[in-house]
Amino acid sequence: CNENVNFNYTDSFIFSSDGTMRILVPAQETLEEVAQQLSWLKLLEGGHHEPLDCQARYKIAIIVPYRDRLSNLCTFLLNMHPFLTKQQLDYSIFIVEQFDDSLFNRAMLMNVGFNEALKLREFECFFFHDVDLIPENDRNIYSCPDQPRHMSVAIDKFNYSLPYVDLFGGVIGLNRNHFQLVNGFSNQYWGWGAEDDDMAYRVKAHGLNITRYAPNVARYRMLSHVNQESNPLRFEILRNSRVRFSTDGLNSLKYRVESLKQLPLFTYILVDLSGES
Ligand code: NGS
């Protein structure tokens, strides 16, 4: 398939000719309402879509770590499905929700999403995606990256400029081999912060490069939300992260799936992380 063709059913009310997208707002913040608003896309079970008239190059999994942000989730789904469908991708969206009461472990949830997605299908590329980031330009192509790609380069919250050169948070894309090569994310970061910096270190330590699209394309809006509780230990854990790359990650991941469901707009994985520390 050619990525990013014009829709036959061009929704010019969403996409303008210069690539800028108008961000859609759910009529009501319920999943049923969003599914209704997206019924024209003819999504398949589990939030899956593939082009009808051509073969997509890769099978792509969008992995979203999640807890208690229904409002953000509704807006995310309402905007991401038309955006990804327009790019003629073969993709599925996975929402990975933390079940236990421990501090949010974003990195571990993404490791779980990777593991569980691969049990369902041979995905070749993975986009690890915060639920509060909405792309604003449809030339920001979610194709399989040759090198790890930082997608959310220019966010409105940061005046559309990169806060620091090694930032590797928000939205990133890696192919399966590279994610396995770096042993996935660390499982050690409970609470907000530094797990993405740890991943940037992993990528570099394995001789890979972080790539980016131009900031006028890789633009995102950040939705409003209550901030996660931060991790006071993060600087300490990050300081000696290197010694743990090979022992802390996909190969030490422990969790229990409480529920796995193919819902109309996404595959839902509810997971208990509390067995791991
Ligand atoms: C850094 C954090 C990163 C975080 C980035 C942007 O300070 O994990 O800010 O955060 N690193 C440490 O705390 C060591 S943001 O404002 O986008 O939430 O991703």
Side-chain angles (χ1 to χ4, degrees), residues 182-233:
V182 305
N183 195 20
F185 287 94
S186 165
N187 299 308
Q188 302 292 320
Y189 295 89
W190 300 89
W192 179 89
E195 80 295 337
D196 49 350
D197 300 319
D198 185 300
M199 179 48 109
Y201 290 178
R202 286 176 184 238
V203 161
K204 288 185 176 177
H206 288 83
L208 304 172
N209 297 315
I210 295 175
T211 58
R212 294 190 173 95
Y213 291 140
N216 64 326
V217 166
R219 286 167 72 90
Y220 287 78
R221 180 182 303 172
M222 188 180 281
L223 304 174
S224 61
H225 57 265
V226 177
N227 287 338
Q228 299 284 346
E229 199 176 321
S230 66
N231 174 5
L233 304 174

Side-chain angles (χ1 to χ4, degrees), residues 106 130 155 157-158 163-164 167-170 192-197 222 225 227 234-235 238:
R106 176 177 179 270
D130 280 355
I155 303 178
K157 179 185 164 189
F158 301 126
Y164 57 99
L167 180 64
F168 200 43
W192 179 89
E195 80 295 337
D196 49 350
D197 300 319
M222 188 180 281
H225 57 265
N227 287 338
R234 66 188 186 281
F235 298 105
L238 186 61

Side-chain angles (χ1 to χ4, degrees), residues 28-171:
Q28 285 168 32
E29 288 176 345
T30 66
L31 295 175
E32 295 74 18
E33 175 62 29
V34 175
Q36 183 61 37
Q37 277 186 257
L38 291 177
S39 53
W40 58 284
L41 279 180
K42 313 241 176 299
L43 298 170
L44 302 176
E45 280 266 285
H48 172 66
H49 195 275
E50 56 189 74
L52 298 176
D53 47 9
C54 60
Q55 176 82 41
R57 292 193 181 96
Y58 302 105
K59 295 187 270 302
I60 292 172
I62 312 284
I63 310 287
V64 183
Y66 179 81
R67 181 152 74 182
D68 194 24
R69 285 195 183 174
L70 180 62
S71 163
N72 286 179
L73 179 59
C74 289
T75 306
F76 176 82
L77 294 165
L78 185 62
N79 287 278
M80 286 308 287
H81 277 300
F83 171 81
L84 295 168
T85 302
K86 184 173 189 289
Q87 295 188 4
Q88 303 258 71
L89 303 172
D90 175 329
Y91 74 90
S92 301
I93 295 183
F94 293 84
I95 304 296
V96 191
E97 179 168 20
Q98 186 169 338
F99 172 77
D100 53 274
D101 293 332
S102 317
L103 287 178
F104 193 61
N105 192 327
R106 176 177 179 270
M108 209 169 155
L109 291 170
M110 295 190 284
N111 281 343
V112 171
F114 177 87
N115 237 9
E116 292 299 313
L118 280 180
K119 290 181 188 169
L120 298 173
R121 202 161 172 233
E122 284 275 297
F123 291 101
E124 290 139 322
C125 300
F126 292 80
F127 287 85
F128 300 98
H129 211 301
D130 280 355
V131 73
D132 57 10
L133 287 174
I134 311 295
E136 293 184 336
N137 189 302
D138 71 14
R139 294 175 188 164
N140 182 6
I141 306 288
Y142 280 44
S143 62
C144 209
D146 293 338
Q147 288 287 322
R149 186 181 296 142
H150 181 226
M151 306 293 289
S152 49
V153 177
I155 303 178
D156 61 345
K157 179 185 164 189
F158 301 126
N159 279 325
Y160 294 105
S161 62
L162 201 59
Y164 57 99
V165 72
D166 283 338
L167 180 64
F168 200 43
V171 185

Side-chain angles (χ1 to χ4, degrees), residues 163-180:
Y164 57 99
V165 72
D166 283 338
L167 180 64
F168 200 43
V171 185
I172 64 171
L174 287 95
N175 68 48
R176 185 180 66 217
N177 293 341
H178 286 164
F179 194 71
Q180 283 167 335

